[in-house]
Amino acid sequence: MARTSINDLPDVLLSNILALVSDTRTRNSLSLVCRKFLSLERATRFSLTLKGNARDLYGIPTCFRSVTHLDLSLLSPWGHAFLCSSPDPDLLAHRLRGLFPLVTSLTIYARTPTTLQILARQWPELRHVKLVRWHQRPQSAPGEDLAPIFEHCRSLSTLDLSEFYYWIEDIPPVLLANPLTARSISKLNLMTKSFTDGFKSTDIQTITEACPNLCQLLMACTFDPRYFGFVGDETLSAIATNCPRLSLLHLADTSTLATARGDPSADGFTPEDARISTATLIELFSGLPLLEDLVLDVAKNVRDSGPALEVLNTKCQRLRSLKLGQFHGICMAIDSRLDGIALCQGLESLSITNCADLTDMGLIEIGRGCVRLSKFEVEGCKKITVKGLRTMVSLLKRTLVDVKISCCENLHTKASLRALEPIQDRISRLHIDCVWEGGEDCELENDAASSWNFDLDEVDELTLPSHNADTGSSTDGLFEDENYDGYTRKRKRSRYSTDADCSLSIQCNGNDLWGKRWDRLEYLSLWIGVGDFLSPLQTVGLDDCPVLQEIQIKVEGDCRGRHKPMDTFGLSILGQYPQLTKMKLDCSDTTGYALTCPSGQMDLTLWERFFLNGIGSLGLTELDYWPPQDRSFNQRSLSHPAAGLLAECLTLRKLFIHGTAYEHFMNFLLNIPYIRDVQLRLDYYPAPENDMSTEMRAGSCSRFEAALNSRQIPD
């Protein structure tokens, strides 16, 4: 009897199976099996990103006619208007329309208004548009860049300008001039980092009035009451009144969009209070009953917010994700009664930033009340300690898999990892700050014990299973999977004793601290100060991560005036992670001397050598690299040593350099045998407009790309 193979499946069933495969390389491999797989794969591919030089019309694929999501933002020359690089822009646009007739979602680098004027006519049925531009906005009338989209795409549903350099005054005029298109928009993302001043109160009211059917709204605002047009009570009330269907609302002050780390020793309060009252917050939450995702990152004090947050549990019952910045009084934890944010039992993701009065007891209350949390982020909270965080983590042991701990004075690296020990074998994503100092283990325990200002008998009563019976939660994590019925109160108290013998269910002597591996940790994010080293990662307990695939390292600080390091940064220590293939190394907030280096000082060339030394031994396949910069110049450029060290990464397939580079430095990368995708991305604002060197010229990019594509790649 002949064997039955996958080819014997009906085409309808086989096409549904292929449609479920999302990985691009896997789909490409499937298409090489046989002609039947080839035709089915092409027919079921609905998303496509084009790369290469737009002037090469012959290189545009002709077999993906089912594509509905088309990304043209990565075409080279990178950052240049790709239609202008073609001898006949209208012919190129018409060719794209003919090859991709079903496109309803478009991502495009729109450096000039001409790009959209030509393309918008080709796909009038577009519903989702994302615009990308890092270069400065051309001198044109307000809204001229966006006008073609609104005029030709009457069914526009989603507009994403999060990576688009534009001015605030571009948005209201184009919405008012096209009221029918504005009313059809349901998702509007205006959260760009290019702003120095965010949207004012009048702008927000105009936008929300023009787009009453919004379901998602993301905006960078100005909450500072010292500025004219700041966002306050009146604006929040207008949002709730004009857009009652919102399920996602992100409002963030422009100052919070910066990536720089705050001061851990700050008390958490700002000199000015936001003009947002408790009554207005209650009105906002009551007017948005469909809310599922909320971000209010205000950057100015919102005091006594607990009563308003309690309304979220009753008025916004669908809320699953919440981020609060500069909110105080979110959980007071008085008399063992759940209050404030702890009443939001449906939350699955919670981020708390710069809450000055959040204490250990508040964390425990959140752990008791928000029993479904799978993601928790805490940043800039000075009063929390390892004991409070550890108890909260124990309460959420069954659900919590994504944690970020940053800029908390009492939670340096080892303390943070100690607090996460109860979920060490479950956590999949983690961010910590590499702050190595903080005293010995036993000293830290004594400090924590002295600041533990509540009765542990009270904690036992707070964590009885009966409190969470309605949500299906239990406190097994707190008692290390022991049954409550078999415990006496004395025995439970000894579990979390604060005696000076460091008996917080862990040992204080070296490697006995860690009894488990990080079995499921797939993503690790680190912040580290300039001049520090990664080598202590092994000693603090992050040495055994068998499935770690991706790591992101943020280096921040001022190099100027520092002596030359006598050691290397320590990337080679990451070779202990066998599955590590992706890395993001961000040195963009590392400031030093480039063209202005005084005599006797260390310039950025030597610092880049310090950071990148050893990267070739890691076996990476994807790398995003942000070079350090000299802020005296609007330029972030790859140095000669950096180019040579990157060329040693022989396993790389994808390399994104977020900055500029000389053409002859880029040619070093041609020696990497497997590399297929290299890009220079000037995604900092504003990108250099006209370079007087060989950096980022269109001709330089084209020549490098031609040389890259002409190589024979082994696989």
Side-chain angles (χ1 to χ4, degrees), residues 182-203:
R183 292 181 66 87
S184 70
I185 296 179
S186 61
K187 300 178 182 179
L188 185 60
N189 190 344
L190 305 177
M191 190 75 74
T192 179
K193 296 181 180 180
S194 64
F195 285 158
T196 54
D197 298 322
F199 283 94
K200 304 298 190 294
S201 177
T202 54
D203 300 321

Side-chain angles (χ1 to χ4, degrees), residues 211-481:
C211 307
N213 296 316
L214 283 177
C215 295
Q216 298 184 11
L217 176 62
L218 302 90
M219 304 186 75
C221 312
T222 300
F223 286 96
D224 194 335
R226 297 174 298 176
Y227 290 89
F228 176 77
F230 68 91
V231 175
D233 287 342
E234 183 180 355
T235 310
L236 296 183
S237 299
I239 292 176
T241 302
N242 296 334
C243 303
R245 302 179 184 179
L246 283 175
S247 61
L248 183 149
L249 176 62
H250 289 191
L251 300 177
D253 191 89
T254 51
S255 62
T256 66
L257 301 180
T259 57
R261 183 173 179 263
D263 181 8
S265 61
D267 62 1
F269 290 102
T270 57
E272 297 287 337
D273 289 353
R275 302 293 174 83
I276 299 176
S277 64
T278 301
T280 300
L281 288 175
I282 294 176
E283 180 184 354
L284 175 68
F285 302 150
S286 301
L288 302 175
L290 304 180
L291 206 58
E292 299 177 9
D293 189 338
L294 175 63
V295 171
L296 292 175
D297 206 346
V298 179
K300 298 297 174 184
N301 300 322
V302 180
R303 302 177 186 267
D304 303 321
S305 59
L309 296 176
E310 293 179 2
V311 177
L312 281 172
N313 187 45
T314 56
K315 300 298 183 180
C316 305
Q317 297 184 4
R318 299 185 181 182
L319 190 68
R320 296 294 178 265
S321 178
L322 176 64
K323 179 178 181 180
L324 299 174
Q326 215 66 47
F327 275 62
H328 311 297
I330 63 174
C331 185
M332 301 308 297
I334 300 175
D335 297 332
S336 71
R337 178 179 60 86
L338 296 182
D339 69 291
I341 201 173
L343 293 175
C344 299
Q345 300 178 357
L347 282 181
E348 298 175 0
S349 174
L350 175 61
S351 178
I352 302 172
T353 303
N354 297 328
C355 181
D357 52 9
L358 181 65
T359 62
D360 288 333
M361 199 62 198
L363 284 180
I364 295 176
E365 295 295 308
I366 293 173
R368 288 179 55 224
C370 305
V371 294
R372 299 180 183 177
L373 280 183
S374 62
K375 179 179 180 180
F376 178 68
E377 299 180 351
V378 61
E379 182 176 351
C381 297
K382 185 178 181 180
K383 293 186 177 182
I384 62 175
T385 67
V386 58
K387 290 205 170 185
L389 183 59
R390 181 185 173 90
T391 307
M392 176 194 179
V393 167
S394 297
L395 289 167
L396 299 172
K397 184 176 181 179
R398 294 186 175 182
T399 59
L400 195 60
V401 294
D402 188 345
V403 178
K404 176 181 179 180
I405 306 168
S406 179
C407 203
C408 297
E409 187 177 33
N410 296 318
L411 292 171
H412 59 80
T413 309
K414 190 174 291 188
S416 300
L417 296 178
R418 179 184 294 111
L420 298 176
E421 192 270 341
I423 60 171
Q424 186 173 337
D425 58 341
R426 297 192 70 257
I427 190 170
S428 61
R429 297 178 64 87
L430 171 64
H431 171 88
I432 56 173
D433 292 346
C434 293
V435 181
W436 310 121
E437 65 275 4
E440 298 297 327
D441 294 342
C442 293
E443 293 178 3
L444 177 67
E445 288 294 334
N446 291 332
D447 293 341
S450 64
S451 63
W452 194 252
N453 56 359
F454 53 83
D455 185 2
L456 291 175
D457 280 332
E458 183 182 20
V459 177
D460 293 334
E461 295 180 4
L462 294 179
T463 55
L464 291 178
S466 59
H467 285 279
N468 294 327
D470 57 332
T471 59
S473 175
S474 71
T475 58
D476 293 345
L478 184 59
F479 301 118
E480 299 295 331
D481 295 326

Side-chain angles (χ1 to χ4, degrees), residues 51-69:
K51 301 174 183 177
N53 203 304
R55 65 184 180 183
D56 300 327
L57 280 173
Y58 63 87
I60 302 177
T62 61
C63 53
F64 298 104
R65 301 187 65 84
S66 299
V67 166
T68 57
H69 295 70

Side-chain angles (χ1 to χ4, degrees), residues 538-603:
Q538 190 168 10
T539 60
V540 298
L542 276 172
D543 56 324
D544 198 355
C545 305
V547 297
L548 185 65
Q549 301 175 6
E550 182 177 357
I551 190 167
Q552 178 169 344
I553 303 173
K554 173 75 172 180
V555 187
E556 182 182 346
D558 196 338
C559 302
R560 295 170 293 190
R562 287 181 173 265
H563 297 290
K564 181 178 180 180
M566 301 304 295
D567 202 347
T568 59
F569 181 54
L571 288 181
S572 57
I573 197 70
L574 304 180
Q576 64 189 339
Y577 306 130
Q579 301 297 323
L580 184 63
T581 57
K582 299 180 182 179
M583 175 186 286
K584 294 182 179 180
L585 180 57
D586 187 353
C587 302
S588 58
D589 284 326
T590 301
T591 308
Y593 292 114
L595 304 178
T596 61
C597 184
S599 177
Q601 299 291 340
M602 182 176 171
D603 65 16

